[in-house]
Amino acid sequence: MGIATVNPATGETLRTYDAHGHDEVERRIAAAHETFRQYRTTSFAERARLMRRAADLLDEDAEDIARTMTTEMGKPITAARAEAAKCAKAMRWYADHAESLLADEHPAEADVHDSGAETARVHYRPLGPILAVMPWNFPLWQVVRFAAPALMAGNTGLLKHASNVPRTALYLGDLFRRAGFPEGCFQTLLIGSGAVEAVLRDRRIAAATLTGSEPAGRSVAAIAGDEVKKTVLELGGSDPYIVMPSADLPRAVKTAVTARVQNNGQSCIAAKRFIVHTDVYDDFAERFTAAMNALTVGDPLDESTDVGPLATEQGRTDLEELVDDAVNKGATVLCGGARPENRPRGWFYQPTVLTGITPQMRIHQEEAFGPVATVYPVSDIEEAVAVANDSPFGLSSNVWTRSDEDIAFFVRDLEAGGVFVNGMTASHPALPFGGVKRSGYGRELSGHGIREFCNATTVWQRA
């Protein structure tokens, strides 16, 4: 079976790789298991030295890996460079903070005096080899935000990356090797999705993390549950972007465009449903539509491009079906709604704004993974929250208001893993990231993320 790099801007197959067979997969699992037995005893100082070296190498490689990401999945080159820089930042953040994040916790003596112990503490230990099943949309960042905390905690990692980004996947395995991490510490598995179950069921694999679609999450969670193995899942999102009357409207509109079309609209945390108070709805809709319509769709390697192609032909087809379903059921297209006529090759789609959305339309409940925005008018804050929560997803949310009372209401009632006030959702090493409902469970990043794949060990002691 071949795993190919296909340029989404042209549809051209650039290179095909042979998938790893059973023997090679076995060799890599065995290496991860054997390496863990020694690597888990290394000091935080040594792990930090290696992680900082990996960050330095990534900085040196930034332009090359940015071009690799762009040619494999179509993100604009400027965004690809920013992704590489963000990964190096996260590596250094965990190198600096892992030891303190995993320091022993000592309960107050008064709280444990009746336990019979003279001393008691919580000690964090790594679990072992962790399987990471990762997506193509942020092919470097999604992996690094798992790998940096996992390796700093003393785990080893096996990466099953999306099959359309094999060059990025192989680069990541090579990056950690070049940085000096022990052989077997972090390895890439070039395998298809059908081979994941056997790896996950292997007794040497301690746990798994997945970022991807809801069906993929269900599958991995079911297998891991059957094997009684820990998982962290970050799945889809259909994030609300709420604009209230007191909002700074020009800023809200400008940020809304970026929030919707970042990564060509292919981001779980991209704002997708724009929920606007009727007092400012007409103004917002007019400005937002004009700004979306003015975006430059083109070659993602061109510095002036705002929106590149979708990553796969099937992804564009899925997006078209969502839009067509909405239009056929009465939605109004304010701009876009079709393939750009000047881009006959590649998997491009126009930035699109739809209004008149009803619950009967698929796009009301399903995630639109591309540059398509839906705009809803609401009469008050209660209706805004009701529309926002009327989704199977709960990854993050965005609210625009100058009212402290509004903010408190949204923080209390929005069903999401994050509430971003007067800004757009973004991930940061110091802040936990993850969702609720069908957006998954568990957290990445921050102290919460590094402790997900640790054994919180109670140490009870008396003379």
Side-chain angles (χ1 to χ4, degrees):
M1 181 187 72
I3 294 176
T5 289
V6 180
N7 187 339
T10 64
E12 176 188 5
T13 299
L14 302 178
R15 183 171 176 180
T16 300
Y17 299 82
D18 291 333
H20 290 153
H22 176 272
D23 290 347
E24 181 61 18
V25 171
E26 164 58 30
R27 186 188 72 78
R28 294 186 180 218
I29 293 175
H33 178 66
E34 288 302 313
T35 298
F36 170 69
R37 297 171 67 180
Q38 294 302 316
Y39 179 70
R40 67 186 180 84
T41 67
T42 58
S43 68
F44 281 107
E46 173 62 8
R47 296 173 205 166
R49 182 187 69 80
L50 296 172
M51 190 61 67
R52 292 190 185 100
R53 176 58 181 154
D56 291 344
L57 289 172
L58 180 53
D59 282 340
E60 294 172 12
D61 300 341
E63 186 63 25
D64 286 344
I65 189 57
R67 294 183 72 85
T68 294
M69 288 190 283
T70 295
T71 55
E72 283 201 310
M73 57 69 57
K75 71 171 67 246
I77 187 65
T78 52
R81 293 184 187 120
E83 183 171 338
K86 184 174 185 175
C87 290
K89 174 183 177 179
M91 289 175 171
R92 294 187 176 101
W93 191 87
Y94 273 108
D96 291 343
H97 295 284
E99 184 170 11
S100 62
L101 293 172
L102 296 180
D104 285 358
E105 297 175 6
H106 297 269
E109 186 175 327
D111 291 335
V112 296
H113 75 280
D114 59 349
S115 72
E118 293 180 354
T119 64
R121 58 192 169 99
V122 179
H123 179 70
Y124 290 98
R125 296 186 292 176
L127 294 180
I130 312 298
L131 173 65
V133 181
M134 293 287 113
W136 47 261
N137 57 336
F138 292 93
L140 205 66
W141 171 241
Q142 299 281 8
V143 178
V144 167
R145 75 185 195 188
F146 149 73
L151 293 176
M152 284 304 303
N155 295 297
T156 57
L158 287 162
L159 168 65
K160 188 285 181 214
H161 217 325
S163 294
N164 60 325
V165 290
R167 288 172 60 192
T168 305
L170 291 169
Y171 168 80
L172 283 156
D174 189 53
L175 174 66
F176 290 109
R177 180 193 60 78
R178 289 162 52 210
F181 282 90
E183 193 70 28
C185 220
F186 189 91
Q187 303 168 89
T188 290
L189 301 177
L190 286 184
I191 57 176
S193 57
V196 170
E197 179 171 357
V199 177
L200 184 51
R201 289 191 184 278
D202 191 290
R203 62 178 177 79
R204 294 165 292 185
I205 300 299
T209 180
L210 176 141
T211 299
S213 69
E214 185 183 338
R218 287 178 181 274
S219 176
V220 165
I223 296 165
D226 190 48
E227 295 291 335
V228 197
K229 293 182 179 180
K230 173 74 177 290
T231 54
V232 170
L233 303 181
E234 194 263 278
L235 309 178
S238 190
D239 289 3
Y241 189 103
I242 301 171
V243 182
M244 297 298 288
S246 65
D248 180 335
L249 204 61
R251 282 181 57 215
V253 170
K254 182 178 180 180
T255 306
V257 174
T258 303
R260 177 60 287 227
V261 302
Q262 61 173 313
N263 208 47
N264 304 336
Q266 301 165 120
S267 170
C268 296
I269 56 171
K272 300 182 177 78
R273 297 176 296 134
F274 296 82
I275 301 165
V276 186
H277 194 284
T278 51
D279 287 356
V280 292
Y281 177 84
D282 290 342
D283 196 0
F284 177 90
E286 181 179 354
R287 295 185 191 209
F288 181 56
T289 300
M292 289 282 283
N293 203 36
L295 293 170
T296 300
V297 178
D299 180 357
L301 288 172
D302 187 328
E303 303 275 349
S304 65
T305 291
D306 297 310
V307 181
L310 297 189
T312 66
E313 187 173 16
Q314 184 60 52
R316 182 175 67 177
T317 298
D318 292 344
L319 191 67
E320 288 175 320
E321 290 177 355
L322 278 182
V323 173
D324 291 346
D325 173 78
V327 171
N328 291 337
K329 292 175 181 174
T332 298
V333 179
L334 298 183
C335 71
R339 303 178 184 184
E341 294 181 358
N342 64 341
R343 290 284 163 184
R345 299 176 65 205
W347 301 313
F348 294 89
Y349 196 79
Q350 294 176 336
T352 298
V353 179
L354 302 176
T355 190
I357 306 300
T358 66
Q360 291 71 39
M361 299 170 186
R362 288 176 53 203
I363 202 167
H364 181 70
Q365 290 291 317
E366 297 181 30
E367 180 179 20
F369 219 58
V372 174
T374 54
V375 187
Y376 298 75
V378 292
S379 59
D380 54 37
I381 193 169
E382 288 81 9
E383 187 180 4
V385 168
V387 173
N389 289 343
D390 186 21
S391 169
F393 300 108
L395 191 52
S396 189
S397 61
N398 311 259
V399 299
W400 285 77
T401 178
R402 291 168 174 165
S403 163
D404 290 340
E405 185 178 349
D406 284 357
I407 294 168
F409 188 91
F410 287 128
V411 170
R412 186 191 70 188
D413 285 1
L414 283 173
E415 297 169 353
V419 180
F420 284 69
V421 182
N422 297 329
M424 60 179 272
T425 298
S427 53
H428 186 281
L431 299 173
F433 182 87
V436 296
K437 301 195 288 189
R438 292 187 181 179
S439 288
Y441 52 76
R443 291 294 180 266
E444 297 177 286
L445 302 175
S446 76
H448 296 274
I450 197 171
R451 289 188 287 267
E452 285 282 6
F453 295 118
C454 288
N455 174 1
T457 308
T458 295
V459 181
W460 182 99
Q461 184 176 346
R462 68 182 178 189

